[in-house]
Each structure stands twice: as structure tokens, then as C-alpha cells.
Amino acid sequence: MTVILAVCVAVTVAVAMYLLLSRELKGIAMGVFLIGHSANLVILAMSRSPVITTAEGSKSLKLPPILGYGEDAADPLSNMVDPLPQALILTAIVISFGVMGFLLALIVVTGRVTGTLDLEDFDDNPEGVDPERQAFSARWNAPIPDPTLNNPHPSARASGRPEEIATP
């Protein structure tokens, strides 16, 4: 079982590294996703074996980590699966979903602004960028106008809030 997990971790890490070194943002995102899953497999491989081997050589699976299953009061984990790796993996899965959502949102915005997801197209030459995308990028990066600049009342200019205009 441990050998199979080690092979799975090695293959997953190798594929993740290949994707992380690619020149396209989708591949990099998939590499980040796979490296997270390979870390989960490493945590699972580091937990103890779920198989109990008796002195006679018979094998049985350990019990789920539920109170009342432990027959030995001094060492209740002797015949139960360790719940800590499972809790860590569950937490890591939730966090990786959040990170992947944020990463995919960044990729979508980058694709809309630049018109491509290939890193080789992200050069300093603006002639290669679609004019419509270039205009969108200019509007996106334009400074936000100050609403107090055109307000004639001095107290509104002093406070910086246009709604504080004194009525006569």
C-alpha cells in the first residue's frame, strides 16, 4: 500500500512540475492543483498503516476513529485509524478549493484584459495586443476622478465629502 502511494505521489509531483513549467496559465493552474493533491497523498502516506497484523499473521483493517470502538483503554489508537491525517487532508482540500477559485478568477481576468493565456504573448510590445483589449485595459487602469474637485462649496472641499453642502 505504501509503495503504491509513493508511486502515485511521484507521478503526481512529476506531472505537476511539468505543468508548472509550461508556458500557459491554464497549465500552471492545473500544476498548482495537482501539487496540492500530491501533498495530500504525502500526508496520507505518512499516517500509519490501516492494516493490523496479528502475531499469527492474520490481517484485518483498523476501525474508524469513533468513540467506543477502542477495546484497549490504555492505547485506544492501537486498533483505530489515526484521525489527524484525515482532518488535515479535509482542511487542505477546502483551502485548495478556495485558492483554485481565486486563481481561476485571476486567469479569467487576465485572459479578458490581454486576450491570451500564453505567457510568451505577454511582452512589452503593445502592437501585438488587440486594440479593443488595449482600450479596455486603459479604462481599467484609469485613475478614479475625485468627486470633490468640481464641488463649489468650500466646506465640501475641506471635508472631502460632497454630501456636506450647507443649505442657506
Short mmCIF file of all heavy atoms in Angstrom, two decimals, residues 9-79:
data_model
loop_
_atom_site.label_atom_id
_atom_site.label_comp_id
_atom_site.label_asym_id
_atom_site.label_seq_id
_atom_site.Cartn_x
_atom_site.Cartn_y
_atom_site.Cartn_z
N VAL A 9 2.40 9.48 -5.59
CA VAL A 9 2.94 10.80 -5.25
C VAL A 9 4.01 11.21 -6.25
O VAL A 9 4.03 12.36 -6.72
CB VAL A 9 3.50 10.79 -3.81
CG1 VAL A 9 4.33 12.03 -3.54
CG2 VAL A 9 2.38 10.69 -2.81
N ALA A 10 4.88 10.28 -6.62
CA ALA A 10 5.95 10.61 -7.57
C ALA A 10 5.38 11.00 -8.93
O ALA A 10 5.82 12.00 -9.54
CB ALA A 10 6.90 9.42 -7.71
N VAL A 11 4.40 10.25 -9.40
CA VAL A 11 3.81 10.56 -10.71
C VAL A 11 3.07 11.90 -10.65
O VAL A 11 3.19 12.74 -11.56
CB VAL A 11 2.86 9.42 -11.16
CG1 VAL A 11 2.03 9.84 -12.35
CG2 VAL A 11 3.66 8.17 -11.46
N THR A 12 2.33 12.12 -9.58
CA THR A 12 1.58 13.38 -9.45
C THR A 12 2.51 14.58 -9.36
O THR A 12 2.26 15.61 -10.00
CB THR A 12 0.66 13.31 -8.22
OG1 THR A 12 -0.11 12.13 -8.26
CG2 THR A 12 -0.27 14.50 -8.17
N VAL A 13 3.58 14.46 -8.60
CA VAL A 13 4.53 15.58 -8.49
C VAL A 13 5.23 15.82 -9.82
O VAL A 13 5.44 16.97 -10.23
CB VAL A 13 5.55 15.31 -7.35
CG1 VAL A 13 6.70 16.28 -7.41
CG2 VAL A 13 4.86 15.39 -6.01
N ALA A 14 5.57 14.74 -10.54
CA ALA A 14 6.23 14.92 -11.83
C ALA A 14 5.31 15.63 -12.83
O ALA A 14 5.75 16.55 -13.53
CB ALA A 14 6.65 13.56 -12.38
N VAL A 15 4.06 15.21 -12.89
CA VAL A 15 3.12 15.86 -13.81
C VAL A 15 2.88 17.31 -13.38
O VAL A 15 2.80 18.22 -14.22
CB VAL A 15 1.79 15.06 -13.87
CG1 VAL A 15 0.74 15.83 -14.64
CG2 VAL A 15 2.02 13.71 -14.50
N ALA A 16 2.80 17.55 -12.07
CA ALA A 16 2.58 18.92 -11.57
C ALA A 16 3.77 19.82 -11.93
O ALA A 16 3.58 20.97 -12.35
CB ALA A 16 2.35 18.91 -10.06
N MET A 17 4.98 19.32 -11.79
CA MET A 17 6.16 20.12 -12.14
C MET A 17 6.19 20.41 -13.64
O MET A 17 6.55 21.52 -14.06
CB MET A 17 7.45 19.40 -11.71
CG MET A 17 7.68 19.42 -10.25
SD MET A 17 7.87 21.13 -9.70
CE MET A 17 7.09 21.02 -8.12
N TYR A 18 5.84 19.42 -14.45
CA TYR A 18 5.80 19.63 -15.90
C TYR A 18 4.79 20.72 -16.24
O TYR A 18 5.06 21.60 -17.06
CB TYR A 18 5.44 18.32 -16.60
CG TYR A 18 5.28 18.47 -18.09
CD1 TYR A 18 6.40 18.60 -18.92
CD2 TYR A 18 4.02 18.51 -18.67
CE1 TYR A 18 6.26 18.76 -20.27
CE2 TYR A 18 3.87 18.66 -20.03
CZ TYR A 18 4.99 18.78 -20.82
OH TYR A 18 4.85 18.95 -22.17
N LEU A 19 3.62 20.68 -15.59
CA LEU A 19 2.59 21.69 -15.88
C LEU A 19 2.98 23.06 -15.34
O LEU A 19 2.68 24.09 -15.95
CB LEU A 19 1.25 21.26 -15.30
CG LEU A 19 0.58 20.10 -16.01
CD1 LEU A 19 -0.65 19.64 -15.25
CD2 LEU A 19 0.20 20.50 -17.42
N LEU A 20 3.65 23.11 -14.17
CA LEU A 20 4.07 24.39 -13.61
C LEU A 20 5.12 25.07 -14.49
O LEU A 20 5.21 26.30 -14.50
CB LEU A 20 4.62 24.21 -12.20
CG LEU A 20 3.59 24.02 -11.11
CD1 LEU A 20 4.26 23.66 -9.79
CD2 LEU A 20 2.76 25.28 -10.94
N LEU A 21 5.90 24.30 -15.20
CA LEU A 21 6.94 24.88 -16.06
C LEU A 21 6.43 25.17 -17.47
O LEU A 21 7.21 25.57 -18.33
CB LEU A 21 8.14 23.94 -16.13
CG LEU A 21 8.87 23.74 -14.79
CD1 LEU A 21 9.96 22.71 -14.93
CD2 LEU A 21 9.42 25.06 -14.28
N SER A 22 5.14 24.97 -17.71
CA SER A 22 4.60 25.22 -19.05
C SER A 22 4.48 26.72 -19.28
O SER A 22 4.65 27.53 -18.38
CB SER A 22 3.24 24.55 -19.20
OG SER A 22 2.30 25.17 -18.37
N ARG A 23 4.16 27.09 -20.51
CA ARG A 23 4.11 28.50 -20.89
C ARG A 23 2.68 29.01 -20.97
O ARG A 23 2.44 30.06 -21.55
CB ARG A 23 4.80 28.70 -22.23
CG ARG A 23 6.25 28.30 -22.26
CD ARG A 23 7.12 29.17 -21.43
NE ARG A 23 7.04 30.53 -21.93
CZ ARG A 23 7.54 31.57 -21.33
NH1 ARG A 23 8.16 31.42 -20.20
NH2 ARG A 23 7.43 32.77 -21.84
N GLU A 24 1.73 28.28 -20.42
CA GLU A 24 0.34 28.70 -20.49
C GLU A 24 -0.26 28.73 -19.09
O GLU A 24 0.03 27.86 -18.26
CB GLU A 24 -0.46 27.76 -21.39
CG GLU A 24 -1.77 28.37 -21.80
CD GLU A 24 -2.35 27.69 -23.02
OE1 GLU A 24 -1.59 27.46 -23.98
OE2 GLU A 24 -3.54 27.40 -22.99
N LEU A 25 -1.10 29.72 -18.82
CA LEU A 25 -1.63 29.91 -17.47
C LEU A 25 -2.55 28.78 -17.04
O LEU A 25 -2.61 28.45 -15.86
CB LEU A 25 -2.37 31.25 -17.39
CG LEU A 25 -1.49 32.49 -17.46
CD1 LEU A 25 -2.34 33.75 -17.39
CD2 LEU A 25 -0.50 32.49 -16.33
N LYS A 26 -3.26 28.15 -17.99
CA LYS A 26 -4.13 27.03 -17.62
C LYS A 26 -3.29 25.86 -17.10
O LYS A 26 -3.66 25.21 -16.13
CB LYS A 26 -4.95 26.57 -18.83
CG LYS A 26 -5.99 27.55 -19.27
CD LYS A 26 -6.82 27.02 -20.40
CE LYS A 26 -5.97 26.85 -21.63
NZ LYS A 26 -6.71 26.47 -22.82
N GLY A 27 -2.17 25.61 -17.73
CA GLY A 27 -1.29 24.53 -17.28
C GLY A 27 -0.70 24.81 -15.92
O GLY A 27 -0.56 23.91 -15.08
N ILE A 28 -0.36 26.08 -15.68
CA ILE A 28 0.19 26.45 -14.38
C ILE A 28 -0.86 26.26 -13.29
O ILE A 28 -0.56 25.76 -12.20
CB ILE A 28 0.73 27.89 -14.43
CG1 ILE A 28 1.94 27.96 -15.36
CG2 ILE A 28 1.08 28.39 -13.04
CD1 ILE A 28 2.43 29.35 -15.63
N ALA A 29 -2.10 26.62 -13.59
CA ALA A 29 -3.17 26.43 -12.61
C ALA A 29 -3.38 24.94 -12.32
O ALA A 29 -3.56 24.54 -11.17
CB ALA A 29 -4.46 27.06 -13.12
N MET A 30 -3.36 24.12 -13.35
CA MET A 30 -3.51 22.67 -13.14
C MET A 30 -2.32 22.11 -12.36
O MET A 30 -2.48 21.19 -11.55
CB MET A 30 -3.66 21.95 -14.47
CG MET A 30 -4.99 22.18 -15.14
SD MET A 30 -6.40 21.74 -14.12
CE MET A 30 -6.14 20.01 -13.93
N GLY A 31 -1.13 22.65 -12.57
CA GLY A 31 0.05 22.23 -11.81
C GLY A 31 -0.09 22.55 -10.33
O GLY A 31 0.24 21.74 -9.47
N VAL A 32 -0.61 23.74 -10.03
CA VAL A 32 -0.84 24.11 -8.63
C VAL A 32 -1.88 23.20 -8.00
O VAL A 32 -1.74 22.74 -6.86
CB VAL A 32 -1.28 25.60 -8.54
CG1 VAL A 32 -1.78 25.95 -7.15
CG2 VAL A 32 -0.14 26.50 -8.94
N PHE A 33 -2.92 22.87 -8.77
CA PHE A 33 -3.97 21.98 -8.28
C PHE A 33 -3.40 20.58 -8.00
O PHE A 33 -3.68 19.98 -6.96
CB PHE A 33 -5.08 21.93 -9.33
CG PHE A 33 -6.35 21.31 -8.86
CD1 PHE A 33 -7.03 21.85 -7.79
CD2 PHE A 33 -6.87 20.21 -9.49
CE1 PHE A 33 -8.22 21.29 -7.35
CE2 PHE A 33 -8.05 19.64 -9.06
CZ PHE A 33 -8.73 20.19 -7.99
N LEU A 34 -2.57 20.07 -8.90
CA LEU A 34 -2.00 18.73 -8.71
C LEU A 34 -0.99 18.68 -7.58
O LEU A 34 -0.88 17.68 -6.87
CB LEU A 34 -1.36 18.25 -10.01
CG LEU A 34 -2.33 17.70 -11.05
CD1 LEU A 34 -1.57 17.29 -12.29
CD2 LEU A 34 -3.10 16.53 -10.50
N ILE A 35 -0.22 19.75 -7.39
CA ILE A 35 0.78 19.74 -6.32
C ILE A 35 0.07 19.73 -4.96
O ILE A 35 0.55 19.13 -4.01
CB ILE A 35 1.77 20.91 -6.47
CG1 ILE A 35 3.09 20.61 -5.75
CG2 ILE A 35 1.25 22.19 -5.91
CD1 ILE A 35 4.04 19.84 -6.52
N GLY A 36 -1.10 20.35 -4.88
CA GLY A 36 -1.88 20.29 -3.64
C GLY A 36 -2.38 18.89 -3.36
O GLY A 36 -2.34 18.42 -2.22
N HIS A 37 -2.82 18.20 -4.41
CA HIS A 37 -3.28 16.83 -4.21
C HIS A 37 -2.12 15.89 -3.87
O HIS A 37 -2.29 14.95 -3.09
CB HIS A 37 -4.02 16.34 -5.44
CG HIS A 37 -5.40 16.90 -5.54
ND1 HIS A 37 -6.38 16.59 -4.65
CD2 HIS A 37 -5.95 17.76 -6.40
CE1 HIS A 37 -7.49 17.22 -4.96
NE2 HIS A 37 -7.24 17.95 -6.03
N SER A 38 -0.95 16.15 -4.45
CA SER A 38 0.19 15.29 -4.10
C SER A 38 0.61 15.52 -2.65
O SER A 38 1.03 14.57 -1.97
CB SER A 38 1.36 15.55 -5.05
OG SER A 38 1.81 16.87 -4.92
N ALA A 39 0.47 16.74 -2.13
CA ALA A 39 0.75 16.98 -0.71
C ALA A 39 -0.23 16.22 0.17
O ALA A 39 0.15 15.67 1.21
CB ALA A 39 0.69 18.48 -0.42
N ASN A 40 -1.49 16.15 -0.27
CA ASN A 40 -2.47 15.36 0.48
C ASN A 40 -2.10 13.88 0.48
O ASN A 40 -2.25 13.19 1.49
CB ASN A 40 -3.86 15.55 -0.10
CG ASN A 40 -4.39 16.95 0.12
OD1 ASN A 40 -3.92 17.64 1.01
ND2 ASN A 40 -5.34 17.35 -0.69
N LEU A 41 -1.61 13.38 -0.64
CA LEU A 41 -1.19 11.98 -0.70
C LEU A 41 0.02 11.72 0.20
O LEU A 41 0.13 10.65 0.81
CB LEU A 41 -0.88 11.57 -2.14
CG LEU A 41 -2.08 11.36 -3.05
CD1 LEU A 41 -1.63 11.07 -4.47
CD2 LEU A 41 -2.94 10.22 -2.55
N VAL A 42 0.92 12.70 0.30
CA VAL A 42 2.08 12.56 1.19
C VAL A 42 1.62 12.47 2.64
O VAL A 42 2.11 11.64 3.42
CB VAL A 42 3.07 13.72 0.97
CG1 VAL A 42 4.10 13.78 2.08
CG2 VAL A 42 3.74 13.59 -0.37
N ILE A 43 0.66 13.31 3.02
CA ILE A 43 0.13 13.26 4.39
C ILE A 43 -0.52 11.91 4.65
O ILE A 43 -0.34 11.31 5.71
CB ILE A 43 -0.86 14.42 4.62
CG1 ILE A 43 -0.13 15.76 4.60
CG2 ILE A 43 -1.60 14.26 5.94
CD1 ILE A 43 -1.05 16.95 4.63
N LEU A 44 -1.26 11.41 3.68
CA LEU A 44 -1.91 10.10 3.84
C LEU A 44 -0.87 8.98 3.94
O LEU A 44 -1.03 8.04 4.73
CB LEU A 44 -2.86 9.85 2.68
CG LEU A 44 -3.73 8.62 2.77
CD1 LEU A 44 -4.69 8.74 3.95
CD2 LEU A 44 -4.52 8.43 1.49
N ALA A 45 0.20 9.09 3.16
CA ALA A 45 1.25 8.06 3.20
C ALA A 45 2.02 8.08 4.51
O ALA A 45 2.51 7.05 4.96
CB ALA A 45 2.20 8.24 2.02
N MET A 46 2.12 9.26 5.14
CA MET A 46 2.86 9.35 6.40
C MET A 46 2.06 8.84 7.59
O MET A 46 2.62 8.58 8.64
CB MET A 46 3.30 10.79 6.65
CG MET A 46 4.40 11.24 5.74
SD MET A 46 5.17 12.81 6.15
CE MET A 46 3.87 13.79 6.75
N SER A 47 0.74 8.74 7.45
CA SER A 47 -0.03 8.18 8.55
C SER A 47 0.25 6.68 8.64
O SER A 47 0.73 6.06 7.69
CB SER A 47 -1.52 8.44 8.35
OG SER A 47 -1.98 7.77 7.21
N ARG A 48 -0.09 6.14 9.78
CA ARG A 48 0.22 4.73 9.96
C ARG A 48 -0.64 3.87 9.06
O ARG A 48 -1.66 4.31 8.54
CB ARG A 48 0.01 4.35 11.42
CG ARG A 48 1.05 5.00 12.31
CD ARG A 48 0.96 4.49 13.71
NE ARG A 48 -0.28 4.98 14.33
CZ ARG A 48 -0.64 4.70 15.57
NH1 ARG A 48 0.12 3.94 16.31
NH2 ARG A 48 -1.77 5.17 16.06
N SER A 49 -0.22 2.63 8.91
CA SER A 49 -0.92 1.70 8.03
C SER A 49 -2.32 1.39 8.57
O SER A 49 -2.49 1.22 9.78
CB SER A 49 -0.12 0.40 7.90
OG SER A 49 -0.84 -0.54 7.17
N PRO A 50 -3.32 1.29 7.72
CA PRO A 50 -4.67 0.96 8.19
C PRO A 50 -4.88 -0.53 8.42
O PRO A 50 -5.98 -0.96 8.70
CB PRO A 50 -5.56 1.49 7.07
CG PRO A 50 -4.72 1.39 5.87
CD PRO A 50 -3.31 1.64 6.31
N VAL A 51 -3.81 -1.33 8.30
CA VAL A 51 -3.93 -2.78 8.44
C VAL A 51 -3.28 -3.23 9.75
O VAL A 51 -2.18 -2.80 10.08
CB VAL A 51 -3.26 -3.48 7.24
CG1 VAL A 51 -3.32 -4.99 7.39
CG2 VAL A 51 -3.91 -3.04 5.94
N ILE A 52 -3.98 -4.09 10.49
CA ILE A 52 -3.44 -4.68 11.72
C ILE A 52 -2.99 -6.10 11.40
O ILE A 52 -3.74 -6.89 10.83
CB ILE A 52 -4.52 -4.73 12.83
CG1 ILE A 52 -5.01 -3.33 13.15
CG2 ILE A 52 -3.97 -5.41 14.07
CD1 ILE A 52 -6.21 -3.33 14.09
N THR A 53 -1.76 -6.40 11.76
CA THR A 53 -1.24 -7.76 11.58
C THR A 53 -1.06 -8.39 12.95
O THR A 53 -0.36 -7.85 13.81
CB THR A 53 0.11 -7.73 10.84
OG1 THR A 53 -0.05 -7.02 9.60
CG2 THR A 53 0.60 -9.14 10.55
N THR A 54 -1.74 -9.50 13.17
CA THR A 54 -1.64 -10.17 14.47
C THR A 54 -0.38 -11.02 14.53
O THR A 54 0.33 -11.19 13.53
CB THR A 54 -2.88 -11.05 14.70
OG1 THR A 54 -2.91 -12.04 13.67
CG2 THR A 54 -4.15 -10.22 14.70
N ALA A 55 -0.13 -11.59 15.73
CA ALA A 55 1.06 -12.43 15.91
C ALA A 55 0.97 -13.71 15.08
O ALA A 55 1.99 -14.26 14.67
CB ALA A 55 1.23 -12.77 17.39
N GLU A 56 -0.26 -14.14 14.80
CA GLU A 56 -0.43 -15.35 13.98
C GLU A 56 -0.28 -15.07 12.49
O GLU A 56 -0.23 -16.00 11.68
CB GLU A 56 -1.81 -15.98 14.23
CG GLU A 56 -2.04 -16.45 15.65
CD GLU A 56 -2.56 -15.35 16.54
OE1 GLU A 56 -3.25 -14.43 16.04
OE2 GLU A 56 -2.24 -15.36 17.74
N GLY A 57 -0.23 -13.81 12.12
CA GLY A 57 -0.06 -13.46 10.71
C GLY A 57 -1.34 -13.06 10.01
O GLY A 57 -1.31 -12.70 8.83
N SER A 58 -2.45 -13.13 10.70
CA SER A 58 -3.71 -12.72 10.06
C SER A 58 -3.78 -11.19 10.02
O SER A 58 -3.26 -10.50 10.89
CB SER A 58 -4.90 -13.30 10.81
OG SER A 58 -4.97 -12.76 12.10
N LYS A 59 -4.43 -10.68 9.01
CA LYS A 59 -4.52 -9.23 8.82
C LYS A 59 -5.98 -8.80 8.86
O LYS A 59 -6.86 -9.51 8.36
CB LYS A 59 -3.91 -8.82 7.49
CG LYS A 59 -2.42 -9.06 7.42
CD LYS A 59 -1.83 -8.61 6.10
CE LYS A 59 -0.33 -8.87 6.11
NZ LYS A 59 0.29 -8.42 4.88
N SER A 60 -6.20 -7.63 9.43
CA SER A 60 -7.54 -7.04 9.44
C SER A 60 -7.39 -5.53 9.37
O SER A 60 -6.34 -4.97 9.69
CB SER A 60 -8.31 -7.44 10.70
OG SER A 60 -7.66 -6.92 11.84
N LEU A 61 -8.45 -4.87 8.94
CA LEU A 61 -8.41 -3.41 8.83
C LEU A 61 -8.68 -2.78 10.19
O LEU A 61 -9.42 -3.33 11.02
CB LEU A 61 -9.47 -2.92 7.84
CG LEU A 61 -9.19 -3.24 6.38
CD1 LEU A 61 -10.36 -2.78 5.52
CD2 LEU A 61 -7.91 -2.57 5.92
N LYS A 62 -8.07 -1.62 10.41
CA LYS A 62 -8.32 -0.88 11.65
C LYS A 62 -9.73 -0.31 11.63
O LYS A 62 -10.34 -0.12 10.58
CB LYS A 62 -7.30 0.24 11.81
CG LYS A 62 -5.91 -0.25 12.11
CD LYS A 62 -4.98 0.91 12.36
CE LYS A 62 -3.60 0.42 12.76
NZ LYS A 62 -2.68 1.52 13.02
N LEU A 63 -10.23 0.01 12.82
CA LEU A 63 -11.59 0.52 12.97
C LEU A 63 -11.62 2.01 12.70
O LEU A 63 -10.61 2.71 12.85
CB LEU A 63 -12.09 0.23 14.38
CG LEU A 63 -12.17 -1.26 14.74
CD1 LEU A 63 -12.48 -1.41 16.22
CD2 LEU A 63 -13.21 -1.94 13.89
N PRO A 64 -12.77 2.56 12.34
CA PRO A 64 -12.87 4.01 12.16
C PRO A 64 -12.71 4.72 13.50
O PRO A 64 -13.03 4.15 14.55
CB PRO A 64 -14.27 4.21 11.58
CG PRO A 64 -14.98 2.94 11.73
CD PRO A 64 -14.01 1.87 11.98
N PRO A 65 -12.23 5.96 13.49
CA PRO A 65 -11.96 6.67 14.74
C PRO A 65 -13.24 7.21 15.39
O PRO A 65 -13.49 8.42 15.39
CB PRO A 65 -11.02 7.79 14.31
CG PRO A 65 -11.36 8.02 12.90
CD PRO A 65 -11.77 6.70 12.33
N ILE A 66 -14.04 6.33 15.94
CA ILE A 66 -15.28 6.70 16.61
C ILE A 66 -15.17 6.23 18.06
O ILE A 66 -14.69 5.12 18.32
CB ILE A 66 -16.50 6.06 15.91
CG1 ILE A 66 -16.58 6.56 14.48
CG2 ILE A 66 -17.78 6.37 16.66
CD1 ILE A 66 -17.65 5.89 13.65
N LEU A 67 -15.59 7.07 18.98
CA LEU A 67 -15.51 6.72 20.40
C LEU A 67 -16.30 5.45 20.68
O LEU A 67 -17.38 5.24 20.15
CB LEU A 67 -16.04 7.86 21.26
CG LEU A 67 -15.20 9.12 21.27
CD1 LEU A 67 -15.87 10.18 22.13
CD2 LEU A 67 -13.82 8.83 21.81
N GLY A 68 -15.75 4.59 21.53
CA GLY A 68 -16.41 3.34 21.90
C GLY A 68 -15.88 2.15 21.14
O GLY A 68 -16.18 1.01 21.48
N TYR A 69 -15.11 2.38 20.06
CA TYR A 69 -14.57 1.26 19.29
C TYR A 69 -13.27 0.74 19.90
O TYR A 69 -12.90 -0.39 19.64
CB TYR A 69 -14.31 1.67 17.85
CG TYR A 69 -15.52 1.62 16.97
CD1 TYR A 69 -16.78 1.35 17.46
CD2 TYR A 69 -15.40 1.83 15.61
CE1 TYR A 69 -17.87 1.32 16.65
CE2 TYR A 69 -16.49 1.79 14.78
CZ TYR A 69 -17.73 1.53 15.31
OH TYR A 69 -18.82 1.49 14.49
N GLY A 70 -12.59 1.56 20.69
CA GLY A 70 -11.30 1.16 21.23
C GLY A 70 -11.46 0.08 22.29
O GLY A 70 -12.09 0.29 23.31
N GLU A 71 -10.92 -1.08 22.04
CA GLU A 71 -11.03 -2.16 23.02
C GLU A 71 -9.99 -2.03 24.11
O GLU A 71 -10.24 -2.39 25.25
CB GLU A 71 -10.88 -3.50 22.30
CG GLU A 71 -12.00 -3.76 21.32
CD GLU A 71 -11.77 -5.00 20.49
OE1 GLU A 71 -10.73 -5.67 20.70
OE2 GLU A 71 -12.62 -5.30 19.65
N ASP A 72 -8.82 -1.52 23.76
CA ASP A 72 -7.76 -1.35 24.74
C ASP A 72 -7.85 0.07 25.28
O ASP A 72 -7.61 1.04 24.58
CB ASP A 72 -6.41 -1.59 24.07
CG ASP A 72 -5.27 -1.58 25.07
OD1 ASP A 72 -5.55 -1.55 26.28
OD2 ASP A 72 -4.10 -1.60 24.63
N ALA A 73 -8.20 0.23 26.58
CA ALA A 73 -8.39 1.55 27.16
C ALA A 73 -7.07 2.29 27.31
O ALA A 73 -7.03 3.52 27.26
CB ALA A 73 -9.07 1.43 28.52
N ALA A 74 -5.98 1.58 27.48
CA ALA A 74 -4.68 2.23 27.65
C ALA A 74 -4.17 2.81 26.34
O ALA A 74 -3.57 3.88 26.32
CB ALA A 74 -3.67 1.24 28.21
N ASP A 75 -4.42 2.16 25.24
CA ASP A 75 -3.97 2.61 23.92
C ASP A 75 -5.12 2.47 22.92
O ASP A 75 -5.18 1.50 22.16
CB ASP A 75 -2.75 1.81 23.46
CG ASP A 75 -2.14 2.40 22.21
OD1 ASP A 75 -2.45 3.56 21.87
OD2 ASP A 75 -1.33 1.69 21.58
N PRO A 76 -6.07 3.42 22.92
CA PRO A 76 -7.23 3.25 22.04
C PRO A 76 -6.89 3.36 20.56
O PRO A 76 -7.64 2.88 19.71
CB PRO A 76 -8.17 4.36 22.48
CG PRO A 76 -7.31 5.37 23.14
CD PRO A 76 -6.15 4.62 23.73
N LEU A 77 -5.75 3.97 20.22
CA LEU A 77 -5.38 4.10 18.81
C LEU A 77 -4.73 2.84 18.25
O LEU A 77 -4.39 2.80 17.07
CB LEU A 77 -4.45 5.29 18.61
CG LEU A 77 -5.09 6.67 18.76
CD1 LEU A 77 -4.06 7.75 18.56
CD2 LEU A 77 -6.22 6.82 17.78
N SER A 78 -4.55 1.82 19.08
CA SER A 78 -3.87 0.62 18.59
C SER A 78 -4.70 -0.11 17.54
O SER A 78 -4.14 -0.75 16.66
CB SER A 78 -3.56 -0.32 19.76
OG SER A 78 -4.77 -0.76 20.37
N ASN A 79 -6.03 -0.03 17.65
CA ASN A 79 -6.85 -0.71 16.63
C ASN A 79 -7.75 0.26 15.87
O ASN A 79 -8.68 -0.16 15.21
CB ASN A 79 -7.66 -1.82 17.27
CG ASN A 79 -8.57 -1.31 18.37
OD1 ASN A 79 -8.50 -0.13 18.71
ND2 ASN A 79 -9.39 -2.17 18.91
#
